[in-house]
């Protein structure tokens, strides 16, 4: 069974540009989660999508947005990039109806903002 | 809001020995889930072990076990017979069992575990 995949592996942008990160969940998983892992700030919850709808959002500005497609894959968009957006962005997927709702993580996209 | 605290930024252990990683959390909820995740240098987060707050029995997965103290809001991870492949960053995580933040994992700061041969 294929795991969660993310693309690209690395992304280099300059301040003010837009970044688009992509995530494909495990087959059969309808929920996708995005987390930011920034140096010194730990892992922070960004967004949760399920069945195409945004279910919950972390404490991030509106320039962080995303969407979930009918095939349950997801995009994370970061507009007007700032230097502090440099981080590892992790995507996870799950089947939300299960008891533990275990989240399976992808390898991440390393975003560097210059 | 829930918080998770890992007070040990770094830990080390000799191969084949036992090590315990600490985690405390704060919540007003009565039903929730707790997890330990491992993040090796390759970056892929892997679930190590999980515990439901309503289950009094401590979870065990092979060499990994937890000491769950609900009243003290403590959730430590014990790794027995440590192996070189156990070297990684370990994260303690919390999730509500319901409500609007149901899907959100709250992580601790992480503990870097070094295993010496």
């Amino acid at each position: 069974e294929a795991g969660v995949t993310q693309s690209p592996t690395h992304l280099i942008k300059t301040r003010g540009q837009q970044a688009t990160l992509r995530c494909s969940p495990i087959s059969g998983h309808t929920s996708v989660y995005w987390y930011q892992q920034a140096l010194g700030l730990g892992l922070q919850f960004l967004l949760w999508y399920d069945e195409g709808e945004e279910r919950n959002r972390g404490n991030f500005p509106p320039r962080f947005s995303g969407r979930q497609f009918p095939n349950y894959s997801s995009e994370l968009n970061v507009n007007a990039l700032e230097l502090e957006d440099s981080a590892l962005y992790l995507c996870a997927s799950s089947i939300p109806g299960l008891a533990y709702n275990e989240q399976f993580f992808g390898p991440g996209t390393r975003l560097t903002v210059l | 809001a829930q918080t998770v605290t890992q007070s040990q930024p770094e830990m080390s252990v000799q191969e084949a020995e036992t090590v315990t990683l600490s985690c405390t959390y704060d919540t007003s909820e009565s039903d929730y889930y707790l997890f330990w995740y491992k993040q090796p240098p390759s970056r892929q987060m892997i679930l190590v072990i999980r515990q439901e707050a309503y289950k009094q029995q401590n979870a065990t997965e092979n060499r990994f076990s937890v000491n769950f103290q609900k009243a003290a809001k403590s959730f430590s991870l014990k790794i027995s017979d440590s192996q070189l492949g156990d070297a990684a960053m370990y994260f303690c995580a919390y999730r509500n069992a319901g409500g609007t933040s149901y899907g959100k994992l709250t992580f601790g700061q992480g503990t870097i575990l070094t295993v010496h041969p």
Side-chain angles (χ1 to χ4, degrees):
Chain A
E1 179 183 283
V4 177
T5 60
Q6 293 186 245
S7 63
T9 304
H10 295 92
L11 190 57
I12 300 175
K13 295 285 186 178
T14 56
R15 195 169 46 185
Q17 286 188 315
Q18 179 195 40
T20 298
L21 289 65
R22 296 178 177 84
C23 171
S24 291
I26 292 172
S27 177
H29 288 196
T30 63
S31 274
V32 169
Y33 311 82
W34 288 96
Y35 294 88
Q36 182 196 65
Q37 188 174 16
L39 203 61
L41 294 177
L43 272 155
Q44 306 287 327
F45 169 76
L46 259 167
L47 289 159
W48 169 28
Y49 291 96
D50 183 59
E51 297 285 358
E53 301 285 331
E54 183 180 301
R55 302 297 184 185
N56 200 359
R57 181 183 182 86
N59 189 24
F60 281 84
R63 56 191 188 80
F64 286 84
S65 65
R67 55 180 172 167
Q68 186 178 34
F69 300 99
N71 66 353
Y72 303 114
S73 67
S74 177
E75 269 183 6
L76 174 69
N77 295 293
V78 188
N79 293 319
L81 284 165
E82 300 179 2
L83 296 178
E84 53 263 36
D85 296 334
S86 294
L88 180 68
Y89 289 84
L90 295 174
C91 172
S93 74
S94 77
I95 302 173
L98 297 181
Y100 283 94
N101 189 20
E102 178 181 337
Q103 296 183 21
F104 295 82
F105 283 81
T109 292
R110 171 73 64 186
L111 173 63
T112 301
V113 183
L114 303 175
Chain B
Q2 291 80 23
T3 59
V4 178
T5 302
Q6 293 178 248
S7 58
Q8 306 154 316
E10 297 183 33
M11 292 284 285
S12 65
V13 64
Q14 290 293 130
E15 198 174 5
E17 296 294 309
T18 296
V19 65
T20 299
L21 308 184
S22 301
C23 172
T24 58
Y25 58 95
D26 188 29
T27 184
S28 58
E29 302 291 330
S30 59
D31 196 13
Y32 48 86
Y33 297 95
L34 295 164
F35 306 88
W36 278 98
Y37 279 90
K38 168 185 176 181
Q39 187 178 39
S42 66
R43 304 180 309 186
Q44 189 120 16
M45 295 270 284
I46 304 165
L47 180 67
V48 174
I49 199 165
R50 58 193 187 185
Q51 175 84 40
E52 184 175 3
Y54 266 100
K55 291 188 177 179
Q56 297 196 3
Q57 185 174 6
N58 289 324
T60 299
E61 289 286 344
N62 301 312
R63 299 182 295 107
F64 299 87
S65 61
V66 298
N67 183 4
F68 173 48
Q69 301 289 329
K70 190 173 184 180
K73 295 180 182 175
S74 170
F75 183 61
S76 61
L77 174 70
K78 186 172 82 170
I79 306 174
S80 304
D81 186 26
S82 296
Q83 300 176 359
L84 295 177
D86 295 333
M89 174 83 88
Y90 285 81
F91 290 96
C92 178
Y94 167 101
R95 184 177 69 75
N96 281 335
T100 55
S101 64
Y102 165 74
K104 170 186 174 182
L105 281 171
T106 300
F107 288 90
Q109 304 91 321
T111 297
I112 298 173
L113 178 66
T114 302
V115 181
H116 298 288

